[in-house]
Amino acid sequence: MQPFLATLKKHFFAVPFLAIFNILTVLMLGGLALYAKLKKQGDGVERLFSDPFNFWFPYEGVLTGVSEVLWCIPVAICAFTFGALRHKDPRARSTAFLLFSAVLLGIFFFDDRFRVTLILTRLGISTKLIYLCYGTAVVIYGMKFWRFIRTTAYLPLIAGFLLFAVSRLEDLLEVQSQGLHAMLEDGTKLLALLNLALYFWHLCHREIGKYLQQSEQL
């Protein structure tokens, strides 16, 4: 039993942050279970895990789900590639670009998935001010890394952010047609995410390939 526990502990702590994230998640779930028991709010807690699937319209939300998957691709591969390359040269332009790309797209994903802009708007913060902050962040990001971006196949990156702008600005136009509204807001977002996912997939493949080639030459 003792060797088994030692082996389990070794593997559990071998993966960075595995222990702390597991412990925090268990504590959170335990707290929710205790709250549901004491306050008799089982239904409320269950809604946190509810399935949005509609039996009568199984296609409902399919493209939204695809968009959320596409969101995760550039964030995940940028963060992974940054982690893999940062030991080679932490100050390299490509390494910094991947880090800031992961952070920026991660913030956008968090906003889109958890409706942060909508919540802030309900609290009295202007939507235009929020979009202005996001737009400023994108402009600073582009200016800071433009010299590196020019060395990449940057057309999908620019197209992605322009399509994002169209998607966000559509909220301010108040289009009456539901179909047109869906295409301008969600359709352009889906296309933007597709371009960004392909761009960062290609870029990260290139950067890891260069790193492996340099490693073989040493």
Side-chain angles (χ1 to χ4, degrees), residues 86-103:
R86 65 188 177 92
H87 297 293
K88 180 190 72 170
D89 186 0
R91 297 184 179 181
R93 209 64 176 164
S94 59
T95 307
F97 176 68
L98 291 171
L99 173 62
F100 279 91
S101 297
V103 172

Side-chain angles (χ1 to χ4, degrees), residues 133-198:
C133 292
Y134 284 155
T136 302
V138 171
V139 171
I140 294 173
Y141 165 83
M143 292 175 61
K144 181 175 179 61
F145 294 107
W146 177 240
R147 291 179 62 183
F148 174 77
I149 292 172
R150 287 182 60 186
T151 67
T152 70
Y154 56 82
L155 181 60
L157 179 68
I158 295 177
F161 280 115
L162 287 177
L163 288 166
F164 263 138
V166 173
S167 175
R168 294 299 90 194
L169 291 175
E170 194 279 336
D171 286 343
L172 306 177
L173 298 178
E174 298 182 355
V175 177
Q176 300 300 320
S177 172
Q178 291 184 345
L180 182 59
H181 171 80
M183 287 298 103
L184 287 177
E185 181 176 8
D186 299 312
T188 53
K189 182 176 72 174
L190 177 62
L191 191 57
L193 291 169
L194 177 63
N195 277 275
L196 290 177
L198 292 173

Side-chain angles (χ1 to χ4, degrees), residues 20-32:
I20 188 168
F21 282 138
N22 273 276
I23 292 170
L24 289 175
T25 303
V26 169
L27 289 175
M28 179 192 71
L29 294 175
L32 286 172

